[in-house]
Amino acid sequence: MDNSLIIALDFANGNEVERFLSPFEDRKLFVKVGMELFYQEGPAIVHQLKEKGHQIFLDLKLHDIPNTVKSAMKGLARLECDLVNVHAAGGKEMMEAAVEGLVAGTAAGRKRPNCIAVTQLTSTSQVQMNKEQLIPTTLKESVLHYASLAKDAGLDGVVCSAWESESIHDKTGSSFLTVCPGIRLESDHVGDQKRVATPEYAKAAGVSAIVVGRSITRSPDPVKSYEQWMNVWRGEHQ
Ligand code: C5P
């Protein structure tokens, strides 16, 4: 999990995924399946990606009453993904229920998927949080609070911006995962993301894993872009 570069497969269907992945040939990747793709293709897309040997982050951001989240996680555990998530805003009891569901759905002798909590979306700004969610504190305080809550609930880490990773590790310990989207090269477009950081910054801040979407998936040469990213992120020359 540590030092992973997770490619966000934000595509509308399985055909687009296949077209995107085909130039990567037999390379084993860590990919993220989010709502856009999962709501169209369902569990079949997870099975297909697993068959090709890819690691999977199933990014469905569950947020519901504890009993529903527990049952849903029990089912998701059977897909044998590597990483799943919930919204920390669902509360401690809901997060505990998520872990219980994952344990219940994991076959004996297997490791349950890691479970992380979304703190504040990287598209959320301080003003939005204060005015729309009516949370009268700083974004950083809110993120740190959610991270502590997630840790107390038995989760394995959080989704956060790279800017918050170091403070989270100070508070929760370095083995608590910080998985960070909103990462951009200097030359990239920011798009709808608000709390963006470069991979160099993420690396220096001790981020556990980065999630990269459009910078790779919308690139004219995705394999070349992926290699450039791996080079900056891990210092790997491929
Ligand atoms: O294209 P981009 O690199 O912005 O993609 C980021 C990915 O990470 C998207 O799939 C988005 O849904 C996801 N994500 C995020 N912020 C969070 C949690 C997930 O951007 N807090």
Side-chain angles (χ1 to χ4, degrees), residues 2 119 140 143-144 147 158-180 183 195 197 201-210 233:
D2 260 355
T119 52
K140 195 166 178 178
V143 169
L144 282 175
V158 285
V159 187
C160 60
S161 100
W163 297 97
E164 294 129 13
S165 176
E166 218 169 346
S167 311
I168 291 172
H169 279 147
D170 285 346
K171 198 158 182 162
T172 59
S174 59
S175 59
F176 195 62
L177 302 169
T178 53
V179 177
C180 301
I183 308 291
R195 296 177 356 261
Y201 178 87
K203 199 172 161 181
V207 163
S208 314
I210 55 172
W233 174 238

PDB file of all heavy atoms in Angstrom, residues 2 119 140 143-144 147 158-180 183 195 197 201-210 233:
ATOM      1  N   ASP A   2       1.949   1.233   0.828  1.00  0.00           N
ATOM      2  CA  ASP A   2       2.785   2.421   0.936  1.00  0.00           C
ATOM      3  C   ASP A   2       3.469   2.756  -0.385  1.00  0.00           C
ATOM      4  O   ASP A   2       3.914   1.872  -1.093  1.00  0.00           O
ATOM      5  CB  ASP A   2       3.836   2.214   2.030  1.00  0.00           C
ATOM      6  CG  ASP A   2       3.398   2.902   3.318  1.00  0.00           C
ATOM      7  OD1 ASP A   2       2.357   3.579   3.289  1.00  0.00           O
ATOM      8  OD2 ASP A   2       4.093   2.755   4.336  1.00  0.00           O
ATOM      9  N   THR A 119     -12.168  12.455   4.634  1.00  0.00           N
ATOM     10  CA  THR A 119     -12.282  13.510   5.654  1.00  0.00           C
ATOM     11  C   THR A 119     -13.100  14.642   5.033  1.00  0.00           C
ATOM     12  O   THR A 119     -14.325  14.622   5.105  1.00  0.00           O
ATOM     13  CB  THR A 119     -10.880  13.966   6.099  1.00  0.00           C
ATOM     14  OG1 THR A 119     -10.105  14.305   4.942  1.00  0.00           O
ATOM     15  CG2 THR A 119     -10.181  12.875   6.875  1.00  0.00           C
ATOM     16  N   LYS A 140      -8.372  22.343   8.174  1.00  0.00           N
ATOM     17  CA  LYS A 140      -7.356  21.460   8.757  1.00  0.00           C
ATOM     18  C   LYS A 140      -7.858  20.834  10.058  1.00  0.00           C
ATOM     19  O   LYS A 140      -7.681  19.638  10.285  1.00  0.00           O
ATOM     20  CB  LYS A 140      -6.083  22.273   9.003  1.00  0.00           C
ATOM     21  CG  LYS A 140      -4.904  21.398   9.263  1.00  0.00           C
ATOM     22  CD  LYS A 140      -3.629  22.176   9.155  1.00  0.00           C
ATOM     23  CE  LYS A 140      -2.461  21.277   9.478  1.00  0.00           C
ATOM     24  NZ  LYS A 140      -1.192  21.955   9.344  1.00  0.00           N
ATOM     25  N   VAL A 143     -10.382  18.160   9.236  1.00  0.00           N
ATOM     26  CA  VAL A 143      -9.729  16.964   8.689  1.00  0.00           C
ATOM     27  C   VAL A 143      -9.027  16.180   9.809  1.00  0.00           C
ATOM     28  O   VAL A 143      -9.148  14.946   9.899  1.00  0.00           O
ATOM     29  CB  VAL A 143      -8.728  17.369   7.578  1.00  0.00           C
ATOM     30  CG1 VAL A 143      -7.854  16.194   7.176  1.00  0.00           C
ATOM     31  CG2 VAL A 143      -9.476  17.912   6.363  1.00  0.00           C
ATOM     32  N   LEU A 144      -8.330  16.896  10.686  1.00  0.00           N
ATOM     33  CA  LEU A 144      -7.617  16.227  11.788  1.00  0.00           C
ATOM     34  C   LEU A 144      -8.594  15.538  12.741  1.00  0.00           C
ATOM     35  O   LEU A 144      -8.351  14.431  13.219  1.00  0.00           O
ATOM     36  CB  LEU A 144      -6.772  17.235  12.569  1.00  0.00           C
ATOM     37  CG  LEU A 144      -5.454  17.626  11.914  1.00  0.00           C
ATOM     38  CD1 LEU A 144      -4.761  18.709  12.719  1.00  0.00           C
ATOM     39  CD2 LEU A 144      -4.537  16.416  11.776  1.00  0.00           C
ATOM     40  N   ALA A 147      -9.822  12.454  11.110  1.00  0.00           N
ATOM     41  CA  ALA A 147      -8.769  11.427  11.075  1.00  0.00           C
ATOM     42  C   ALA A 147      -8.669  10.715  12.426  1.00  0.00           C
ATOM     43  O   ALA A 147      -8.575   9.480  12.480  1.00  0.00           O
ATOM     44  CB  ALA A 147      -7.433  12.065  10.702  1.00  0.00           C
ATOM     45  N   VAL A 158      -7.016   7.502   6.075  1.00  0.00           N
ATOM     46  CA  VAL A 158      -7.976   8.495   5.568  1.00  0.00           C
ATOM     47  C   VAL A 158      -7.632   8.917   4.146  1.00  0.00           C
ATOM     48  O   VAL A 158      -6.498   8.753   3.693  1.00  0.00           O
ATOM     49  CB  VAL A 158      -7.995   9.783   6.438  1.00  0.00           C
ATOM     50  CG1 VAL A 158      -8.709   9.569   7.747  1.00  0.00           C
ATOM     51  CG2 VAL A 158      -6.601  10.339   6.646  1.00  0.00           C
ATOM     52  N   VAL A 159      -8.644   9.475   3.486  1.00  0.00           N
ATOM     53  CA  VAL A 159      -8.416  10.205   2.238  1.00  0.00           C
ATOM     54  C   VAL A 159      -8.323  11.667   2.661  1.00  0.00           C
ATOM     55  O   VAL A 159      -9.179  12.151   3.399  1.00  0.00           O
ATOM     56  CB  VAL A 159      -9.599  10.048   1.251  1.00  0.00           C
ATOM     57  CG1 VAL A 159      -9.252  10.687  -0.089  1.00  0.00           C
ATOM     58  CG2 VAL A 159      -9.993   8.594   1.073  1.00  0.00           C
ATOM     59  N   CYS A 160      -7.294  12.353   2.225  1.00  0.00           N
ATOM     60  CA  CYS A 160      -7.121  13.760   2.614  1.00  0.00           C
ATOM     61  C   CYS A 160      -6.302  14.450   1.537  1.00  0.00           C
ATOM     62  O   CYS A 160      -5.882  13.807   0.574  1.00  0.00           O
ATOM     63  CB  CYS A 160      -6.389  13.835   3.954  1.00  0.00           C
ATOM     64  SG  CYS A 160      -4.746  13.081   3.909  1.00  0.00           S
ATOM     65  N   SER A 161      -6.062  15.739   1.695  1.00  0.00           N
ATOM     66  CA  SER A 161      -5.168  16.400   0.744  1.00  0.00           C
ATOM     67  C   SER A 161      -3.746  16.254   1.275  1.00  0.00           C
ATOM     68  O   SER A 161      -3.529  16.057   2.475  1.00  0.00           O
ATOM     69  CB  SER A 161      -5.549  17.879   0.576  1.00  0.00           C
ATOM     70  OG  SER A 161      -4.705  18.690   1.346  1.00  0.00           O
ATOM     71  N   ALA A 162      -2.790  16.355   0.359  1.00  0.00           N
ATOM     72  CA  ALA A 162      -1.380  16.196   0.751  1.00  0.00           C
ATOM     73  C   ALA A 162      -0.979  17.224   1.811  1.00  0.00           C
ATOM     74  O   ALA A 162      -0.089  16.973   2.618  1.00  0.00           O
ATOM     75  CB  ALA A 162      -0.492  16.335  -0.477  1.00  0.00           C
ATOM     76  N   TRP A 163      -1.683  18.370   1.814  1.00  0.00           N
ATOM     77  CA  TRP A 163      -1.359  19.433   2.756  1.00  0.00           C
ATOM     78  C   TRP A 163      -1.645  19.017   4.199  1.00  0.00           C
ATOM     79  O   TRP A 163      -1.134  19.625   5.140  1.00  0.00           O
ATOM     80  CB  TRP A 163      -2.161  20.704   2.436  1.00  0.00           C
ATOM     81  CG  TRP A 163      -1.807  21.227   1.087  1.00  0.00           C
ATOM     82  CD1 TRP A 163      -2.487  21.002  -0.082  1.00  0.00           C
ATOM     83  CD2 TRP A 163      -0.649  21.988   0.738  1.00  0.00           C
ATOM     84  NE1 TRP A 163      -1.838  21.592  -1.131  1.00  0.00           N
ATOM     85  CE2 TRP A 163      -0.700  22.213  -0.654  1.00  0.00           C
ATOM     86  CE3 TRP A 163       0.421  22.507   1.467  1.00  0.00           C
ATOM     87  CZ2 TRP A 163       0.281  22.923  -1.324  1.00  0.00           C
ATOM     88  CZ3 TRP A 163       1.395  23.226   0.788  1.00  0.00           C
ATOM     89  CH2 TRP A 163       1.320  23.427  -0.588  1.00  0.00           C
ATOM     90  N   GLU A 164      -2.479  18.030   4.382  1.00  0.00           N
ATOM     91  CA  GLU A 164      -2.876  17.642   5.742  1.00  0.00           C
ATOM     92  C   GLU A 164      -2.162  16.380   6.220  1.00  0.00           C
ATOM     93  O   GLU A 164      -2.251  16.018   7.389  1.00  0.00           O
ATOM     94  CB  GLU A 164      -4.393  17.414   5.772  1.00  0.00           C
ATOM     95  CG  GLU A 164      -5.197  18.687   5.524  1.00  0.00           C
ATOM     96  CD  GLU A 164      -6.251  18.552   4.451  1.00  0.00           C
ATOM     97  OE1 GLU A 164      -6.545  17.407   4.049  1.00  0.00           O
ATOM     98  OE2 GLU A 164      -6.768  19.578   3.980  1.00  0.00           O
ATOM     99  N   SER A 165      -1.461  15.705   5.320  1.00  0.00           N
ATOM    100  CA  SER A 165      -0.901  14.385   5.628  1.00  0.00           C
ATOM    101  C   SER A 165       0.060  14.398   6.828  1.00  0.00           C
ATOM    102  O   SER A 165      -0.027  13.546   7.713  1.00  0.00           O
ATOM    103  CB  SER A 165      -0.198  13.850   4.385  1.00  0.00           C
ATOM    104  OG  SER A 165       0.422  12.644   4.670  1.00  0.00           O
ATOM    105  N   GLU A 166       0.955  15.374   6.839  1.00  0.00           N
ATOM    106  CA  GLU A 166       1.973  15.400   7.893  1.00  0.00           C
ATOM    107  C   GLU A 166       1.332  15.571   9.287  1.00  0.00           C
ATOM    108  O   GLU A 166       1.676  14.851  10.226  1.00  0.00           O
ATOM    109  CB  GLU A 166       2.942  16.554   7.621  1.00  0.00           C
ATOM    110  CG  GLU A 166       4.364  16.197   7.954  1.00  0.00           C
ATOM    111  CD  GLU A 166       5.348  17.236   7.423  1.00  0.00           C
ATOM    112  OE1 GLU A 166       4.980  18.088   6.578  1.00  0.00           O
ATOM    113  OE2 GLU A 166       6.494  17.198   7.882  1.00  0.00           O
ATOM    114  N   SER A 167       0.381  16.504   9.387  1.00  0.00           N
ATOM    115  CA  SER A 167      -0.278  16.721  10.688  1.00  0.00           C
ATOM    116  C   SER A 167      -1.063  15.482  11.101  1.00  0.00           C
ATOM    117  O   SER A 167      -1.148  15.160  12.285  1.00  0.00           O
ATOM    118  CB  SER A 167      -1.246  17.894  10.620  1.00  0.00           C
ATOM    119  OG  SER A 167      -0.638  18.993  10.052  1.00  0.00           O
ATOM    120  N   ILE A 168      -1.644  14.798  10.126  1.00  0.00           N
ATOM    121  CA  ILE A 168      -2.398  13.581  10.452  1.00  0.00           C
ATOM    122  C   ILE A 168      -1.447  12.514  10.997  1.00  0.00           C
ATOM    123  O   ILE A 168      -1.718  11.878  12.015  1.00  0.00           O
ATOM    124  CB  ILE A 168      -3.173  13.063   9.216  1.00  0.00           C
ATOM    125  CG1 ILE A 168      -4.309  14.028   8.879  1.00  0.00           C
ATOM    126  CG2 ILE A 168      -3.714  11.639   9.443  1.00  0.00           C
ATOM    127  CD1 ILE A 168      -5.022  13.746   7.590  1.00  0.00           C
ATOM    128  N   HIS A 169      -0.314  12.345  10.326  1.00  0.00           N
ATOM    129  CA  HIS A 169       0.655  11.359  10.810  1.00  0.00           C
ATOM    130  C   HIS A 169       1.173  11.729  12.203  1.00  0.00           C
ATOM    131  O   HIS A 169       1.381  10.862  13.037  1.00  0.00           O
ATOM    132  CB  HIS A 169       1.808  11.204   9.814  1.00  0.00           C
ATOM    133  CG  HIS A 169       1.461  10.303   8.668  1.00  0.00           C
ATOM    134  ND1 HIS A 169       1.939  10.471   7.384  1.00  0.00           N
ATOM    135  CD2 HIS A 169       0.656   9.211   8.611  1.00  0.00           C
ATOM    136  CE1 HIS A 169       1.461   9.529   6.607  1.00  0.00           C
ATOM    137  NE2 HIS A 169       0.676   8.743   7.321  1.00  0.00           N
ATOM    138  N   ASP A 170       1.363  13.042  12.443  1.00  0.00           N
ATOM    139  CA  ASP A 170       1.812  13.471  13.788  1.00  0.00           C
ATOM    140  C   ASP A 170       0.804  13.033  14.838  1.00  0.00           C
ATOM    141  O   ASP A 170       1.154  12.658  15.949  1.00  0.00           O
ATOM    142  CB  ASP A 170       1.938  15.004  13.857  1.00  0.00           C
ATOM    143  CG  ASP A 170       3.176  15.491  13.120  1.00  0.00           C
ATOM    144  OD1 ASP A 170       4.037  14.644  12.808  1.00  0.00           O
ATOM    145  OD2 ASP A 170       3.251  16.703  12.836  1.00  0.00           O
ATOM    146  N   LYS A 171      -0.465  13.101  14.471  1.00  0.00           N
ATOM    147  CA  LYS A 171      -1.524  12.814  15.433  1.00  0.00           C
ATOM    148  C   LYS A 171      -1.843  11.314  15.545  1.00  0.00           C
ATOM    149  O   LYS A 171      -2.165  10.826  16.625  1.00  0.00           O
ATOM    150  CB  LYS A 171      -2.780  13.572  14.982  1.00  0.00           C
ATOM    151  CG  LYS A 171      -3.807  13.745  16.042  1.00  0.00           C
ATOM    152  CD  LYS A 171      -4.738  14.909  15.754  1.00  0.00           C
ATOM    153  CE  LYS A 171      -5.711  15.051  16.897  1.00  0.00           C
ATOM    154  NZ  LYS A 171      -6.358  16.332  16.960  1.00  0.00           N
ATOM    155  N   THR A 172      -1.750  10.614  14.430  1.00  0.00           N
ATOM    156  CA  THR A 172      -2.246   9.224  14.411  1.00  0.00           C
ATOM    157  C   THR A 172      -1.137   8.177  14.282  1.00  0.00           C
ATOM    158  O   THR A 172      -1.413   6.988  14.398  1.00  0.00           O
ATOM    159  CB  THR A 172      -3.213   9.020  13.227  1.00  0.00           C
ATOM    160  OG1 THR A 172      -2.497   9.314  12.023  1.00  0.00           O
ATOM    161  CG2 THR A 172      -4.444   9.899  13.334  1.00  0.00           C
ATOM    162  N   GLY A 173       0.085   8.620  13.986  1.00  0.00           N
ATOM    163  CA  GLY A 173       1.181   7.662  13.790  1.00  0.00           C
ATOM    164  C   GLY A 173       1.412   7.422  12.303  1.00  0.00           C
ATOM    165  O   GLY A 173       0.492   7.540  11.490  1.00  0.00           O
ATOM    166  N   SER A 174       2.661   7.053  11.960  1.00  0.00           N
ATOM    167  CA  SER A 174       3.011   6.996  10.531  1.00  0.00           C
ATOM    168  C   SER A 174       2.408   5.794   9.814  1.00  0.00           C
ATOM    169  O   SER A 174       2.351   5.764   8.582  1.00  0.00           O
ATOM    170  CB  SER A 174       4.529   7.000  10.374  1.00  0.00           C
ATOM    171  OG  SER A 174       5.066   5.895  11.060  1.00  0.00           O
ATOM    172  N   SER A 175       1.941   4.776  10.565  1.00  0.00           N
ATOM    173  CA  SER A 175       1.387   3.612   9.852  1.00  0.00           C
ATOM    174  C   SER A 175      -0.072   3.844   9.426  1.00  0.00           C
ATOM    175  O   SER A 175      -0.634   3.068   8.666  1.00  0.00           O
ATOM    176  CB  SER A 175       1.491   2.347  10.711  1.00  0.00           C
ATOM    177  OG  SER A 175       0.778   2.554  11.906  1.00  0.00           O
ATOM    178  N   PHE A 176      -0.682   4.920   9.922  1.00  0.00           N
ATOM    179  CA  PHE A 176      -2.050   5.267   9.530  1.00  0.00           C
ATOM    180  C   PHE A 176      -1.967   5.840   8.115  1.00  0.00           C
ATOM    181  O   PHE A 176      -1.228   6.802   7.858  1.00  0.00           O
ATOM    182  CB  PHE A 176      -2.599   6.302  10.520  1.00  0.00           C
ATOM    183  CG  PHE A 176      -4.079   6.505  10.491  1.00  0.00           C
ATOM    184  CD1 PHE A 176      -4.959   5.476  10.801  1.00  0.00           C
ATOM    185  CD2 PHE A 176      -4.610   7.744  10.153  1.00  0.00           C
ATOM    186  CE1 PHE A 176      -6.333   5.679  10.801  1.00  0.00           C
ATOM    187  CE2 PHE A 176      -5.984   7.957  10.152  1.00  0.00           C
ATOM    188  CZ  PHE A 176      -6.835   6.923  10.475  1.00  0.00           C
ATOM    189  N   LEU A 177      -2.719   5.228   7.180  1.00  0.00           N
ATOM    190  CA  LEU A 177      -2.557   5.592   5.768  1.00  0.00           C
ATOM    191  C   LEU A 177      -3.136   6.971   5.431  1.00  0.00           C
ATOM    192  O   LEU A 177      -4.245   7.300   5.847  1.00  0.00           O
ATOM    193  CB  LEU A 177      -3.259   4.551   4.876  1.00  0.00           C
ATOM    194  CG  LEU A 177      -2.800   3.105   5.024  1.00  0.00           C
ATOM    195  CD1 LEU A 177      -3.752   2.166   4.280  1.00  0.00           C
ATOM    196  CD2 LEU A 177      -1.379   2.958   4.481  1.00  0.00           C
ATOM    197  N   THR A 178      -2.373   7.750   4.674  1.00  0.00           N
ATOM    198  CA  THR A 178      -2.921   8.988   4.103  1.00  0.00           C
ATOM    199  C   THR A 178      -2.925   8.790   2.582  1.00  0.00           C
ATOM    200  O   THR A 178      -1.875   8.641   1.963  1.00  0.00           O
ATOM    201  CB  THR A 178      -2.087  10.226   4.483  1.00  0.00           C
ATOM    202  OG1 THR A 178      -0.725  10.001   4.138  1.00  0.00           O
ATOM    203  CG2 THR A 178      -2.178  10.529   5.971  1.00  0.00           C
ATOM    204  N   VAL A 179      -4.117   8.719   2.031  1.00  0.00           N
ATOM    205  CA  VAL A 179      -4.283   8.496   0.588  1.00  0.00           C
ATOM    206  C   VAL A 179      -4.764   9.815  -0.006  1.00  0.00           C
ATOM    207  O   VAL A 179      -5.810  10.329   0.391  1.00  0.00           O
ATOM    208  CB  VAL A 179      -5.287   7.353   0.336  1.00  0.00           C
ATOM    209  CG1 VAL A 179      -5.527   7.157  -1.155  1.00  0.00           C
ATOM    210  CG2 VAL A 179      -4.777   6.057   0.980  1.00  0.00           C
ATOM    211  N   CYS A 180      -3.969  10.371  -0.909  1.00  0.00           N
ATOM    212  CA  CYS A 180      -4.208  11.767  -1.325  1.00  0.00           C
ATOM    213  C   CYS A 180      -4.506  11.947  -2.809  1.00  0.00           C
ATOM    214  O   CYS A 180      -3.627  11.740  -3.659  1.00  0.00           O
ATOM    215  CB  CYS A 180      -2.998  12.610  -0.953  1.00  0.00           C
ATOM    216  SG  CYS A 180      -2.640  12.578   0.814  1.00  0.00           S
ATOM    217  N   ILE A 183      -3.616  15.629  -6.709  1.00  0.00           N
ATOM    218  CA  ILE A 183      -2.185  15.791  -6.972  1.00  0.00           C
ATOM    219  C   ILE A 183      -2.014  16.215  -8.435  1.00  0.00           C
ATOM    220  O   ILE A 183      -2.608  15.610  -9.326  1.00  0.00           O
ATOM    221  CB  ILE A 183      -1.420  14.458  -6.713  1.00  0.00           C
ATOM    222  CG1 ILE A 183      -1.749  13.892  -5.325  1.00  0.00           C
ATOM    223  CG2 ILE A 183       0.077  14.650  -6.889  1.00  0.00           C
ATOM    224  CD1 ILE A 183      -1.218  14.677  -4.160  1.00  0.00           C
ATOM    225  N   ARG A 195      -7.798  21.753  -3.171  1.00  0.00           N
ATOM    226  CA  ARG A 195      -6.602  21.600  -2.326  1.00  0.00           C
ATOM    227  C   ARG A 195      -5.591  20.716  -3.057  1.00  0.00           C
ATOM    228  O   ARG A 195      -5.440  19.552  -2.754  1.00  0.00           O
ATOM    229  CB  ARG A 195      -7.002  21.052  -0.948  1.00  0.00           C
ATOM    230  CG  ARG A 195      -7.866  22.048  -0.256  1.00  0.00           C
ATOM    231  CD  ARG A 195      -8.470  21.790   1.074  1.00  0.00           C
ATOM    232  NE  ARG A 195      -8.340  20.564   1.753  1.00  0.00           N
ATOM    233  CZ  ARG A 195      -9.283  19.605   1.762  1.00  0.00           C
ATOM    234  NH1 ARG A 195     -10.368  19.750   1.043  1.00  0.00           N
ATOM    235  NH2 ARG A 195      -9.114  18.537   2.488  1.00  0.00           N
ATOM    236  N   ALA A 197      -1.756  19.625  -4.705  1.00  0.00           N
ATOM    237  CA  ALA A 197      -0.331  19.650  -4.369  1.00  0.00           C
ATOM    238  C   ALA A 197       0.432  18.897  -5.451  1.00  0.00           C
ATOM    239  O   ALA A 197      -0.156  18.092  -6.185  1.00  0.00           O
ATOM    240  CB  ALA A 197      -0.106  18.976  -3.017  1.00  0.00           C
ATOM    241  N   TYR A 201       5.800  17.555  -3.479  1.00  0.00           N
ATOM    242  CA  TYR A 201       5.345  17.981  -2.154  1.00  0.00           C
ATOM    243  C   TYR A 201       4.793  16.773  -1.382  1.00  0.00           C
ATOM    244  O   TYR A 201       5.096  16.574  -0.202  1.00  0.00           O
ATOM    245  CB  TYR A 201       4.273  19.087  -2.273  1.00  0.00           C
ATOM    246  CG  TYR A 201       3.759  19.503  -0.910  1.00  0.00           C
ATOM    247  CD1 TYR A 201       4.397  20.492  -0.181  1.00  0.00           C
ATOM    248  CD2 TYR A 201       2.676  18.831  -0.326  1.00  0.00           C
ATOM    249  CE1 TYR A 201       3.970  20.823   1.094  1.00  0.00           C
ATOM    250  CE2 TYR A 201       2.237  19.157   0.952  1.00  0.00           C
ATOM    251  CZ  TYR A 201       2.883  20.161   1.652  1.00  0.00           C
ATOM    252  OH  TYR A 201       2.463  20.480   2.914  1.00  0.00           O
ATOM    253  N   ALA A 202       3.969  15.963  -2.073  1.00  0.00           N
ATOM    254  CA  ALA A 202       3.349  14.790  -1.431  1.00  0.00           C
ATOM    255  C   ALA A 202       4.413  13.846  -0.879  1.00  0.00           C
ATOM    256  O   ALA A 202       4.297  13.326   0.229  1.00  0.00           O
ATOM    257  CB  ALA A 202       2.445  14.071  -2.426  1.00  0.00           C
ATOM    258  N   LYS A 203       5.456  13.661  -1.666  1.00  0.00           N
ATOM    259  CA  LYS A 203       6.545  12.767  -1.253  1.00  0.00           C
ATOM    260  C   LYS A 203       7.236  13.323   0.000  1.00  0.00           C
ATOM    261  O   LYS A 203       7.425  12.606   0.987  1.00  0.00           O
ATOM    262  CB  LYS A 203       7.541  12.673  -2.411  1.00  0.00           C
ATOM    263  CG  LYS A 203       8.454  11.496  -2.351  1.00  0.00           C
ATOM    264  CD  LYS A 203       9.229  11.459  -3.649  1.00  0.00           C
ATOM    265  CE  LYS A 203      10.451  10.620  -3.521  1.00  0.00           C
ATOM    266  NZ  LYS A 203      11.225  10.584  -4.759  1.00  0.00           N
ATOM    267  N   ALA A 204       7.556  14.606  -0.043  1.00  0.00           N
ATOM    268  CA  ALA A 204       8.246  15.228   1.098  1.00  0.00           C
ATOM    269  C   ALA A 204       7.362  15.219   2.344  1.00  0.00           C
ATOM    270  O   ALA A 204       7.862  15.151   3.465  1.00  0.00           O
ATOM    271  CB  ALA A 204       8.646  16.655   0.745  1.00  0.00           C
ATOM    272  N   ALA A 205       6.045  15.255   2.140  1.00  0.00           N
ATOM    273  CA  ALA A 205       5.118  15.298   3.275  1.00  0.00           C
ATOM    274  C   ALA A 205       4.812  13.904   3.833  1.00  0.00           C
ATOM    275  O   ALA A 205       4.015  13.762   4.751  1.00  0.00           O
ATOM    276  CB  ALA A 205       3.821  15.993   2.855  1.00  0.00           C
ATOM    277  N   GLY A 206       5.414  12.870   3.240  1.00  0.00           N
ATOM    278  CA  GLY A 206       5.231  11.510   3.754  1.00  0.00           C
ATOM    279  C   GLY A 206       3.879  10.891   3.450  1.00  0.00           C
ATOM    280  O   GLY A 206       3.412  10.000   4.167  1.00  0.00           O
ATOM    281  N   VAL A 207       3.239  11.368   2.368  1.00  0.00           N
ATOM    282  CA  VAL A 207       1.946  10.808   1.944  1.00  0.00           C
ATOM    283  C   VAL A 207       2.100   9.303   1.666  1.00  0.00           C
ATOM    284  O   VAL A 207       3.089   8.881   1.070  1.00  0.00           O
ATOM    285  CB  VAL A 207       1.475  11.570   0.675  1.00  0.00           C
ATOM    286  CG1 VAL A 207       0.400  10.827  -0.071  1.00  0.00           C
ATOM    287  CG2 VAL A 207       1.038  12.982   1.045  1.00  0.00           C
ATOM    288  N   SER A 208       1.116   8.485   2.091  1.00  0.00           N
ATOM    289  CA  SER A 208       1.236   7.032   1.918  1.00  0.00           C
ATOM    290  C   SER A 208       0.997   6.602   0.469  1.00  0.00           C
ATOM    291  O   SER A 208       1.679   5.719  -0.054  1.00  0.00           O
ATOM    292  CB  SER A 208       0.224   6.295   2.802  1.00  0.00           C
ATOM    293  OG  SER A 208       0.209   6.805   4.097  1.00  0.00           O
ATOM    294  N   ALA A 209      -0.006   7.195  -0.166  1.00  0.00           N
ATOM    295  CA  ALA A 209      -0.337   6.818  -1.549  1.00  0.00           C
ATOM    296  C   ALA A 209      -1.000   8.010  -2.223  1.00  0.00           C
ATOM    297  O   ALA A 209      -1.727   8.762  -1.579  1.00  0.00           O
ATOM    298  CB  ALA A 209      -1.288   5.624  -1.560  1.00  0.00           C
ATOM    299  N   ILE A 210      -0.736   8.178  -3.523  1.00  0.00           N
ATOM    300  CA  ILE A 210      -1.396   9.275  -4.247  1.00  0.00           C
ATOM    301  C   ILE A 210      -2.399   8.698  -5.240  1.00  0.00           C
ATOM    302  O   ILE A 210      -2.217   7.586  -5.760  1.00  0.00           O
ATOM    303  CB  ILE A 210      -0.397  10.213  -4.972  1.00  0.00           C
ATOM    304  CG1 ILE A 210       0.525   9.439  -5.925  1.00  0.00           C
ATOM    305  CG2 ILE A 210       0.414  11.007  -3.965  1.00  0.00           C
ATOM    306  CD1 ILE A 210       1.393  10.356  -6.807  1.00  0.00           C
ATOM    307  N   TRP A 233       7.344  10.326  -8.432  1.00  0.00           N
ATOM    308  CA  TRP A 233       6.783   9.851  -7.156  1.00  0.00           C
ATOM    309  C   TRP A 233       7.689   8.851  -6.466  1.00  0.00           C
ATOM    310  O   TRP A 233       7.892   8.892  -5.267  1.00  0.00           O
ATOM    311  CB  TRP A 233       5.389   9.280  -7.430  1.00  0.00           C
ATOM    312  CG  TRP A 233       4.716   8.623  -6.255  1.00  0.00           C
ATOM    313  CD1 TRP A 233       4.266   7.339  -6.199  1.00  0.00           C
ATOM    314  CD2 TRP A 233       4.379   9.207  -4.983  1.00  0.00           C
ATOM    315  NE1 TRP A 233       3.693   7.079  -4.988  1.00  0.00           N
ATOM    316  CE2 TRP A 233       3.745   8.208  -4.216  1.00  0.00           C
ATOM    317  CE3 TRP A 233       4.561  10.461  -4.415  1.00  0.00           C
ATOM    318  CZ2 TRP A 233       3.295   8.424  -2.912  1.00  0.00           C
ATOM    319  CZ3 TRP A 233       4.113  10.683  -3.113  1.00  0.00           C
ATOM    320  CH2 TRP A 233       3.488   9.679  -2.383  1.00  0.00           C
TER     321      TRP A 233
END
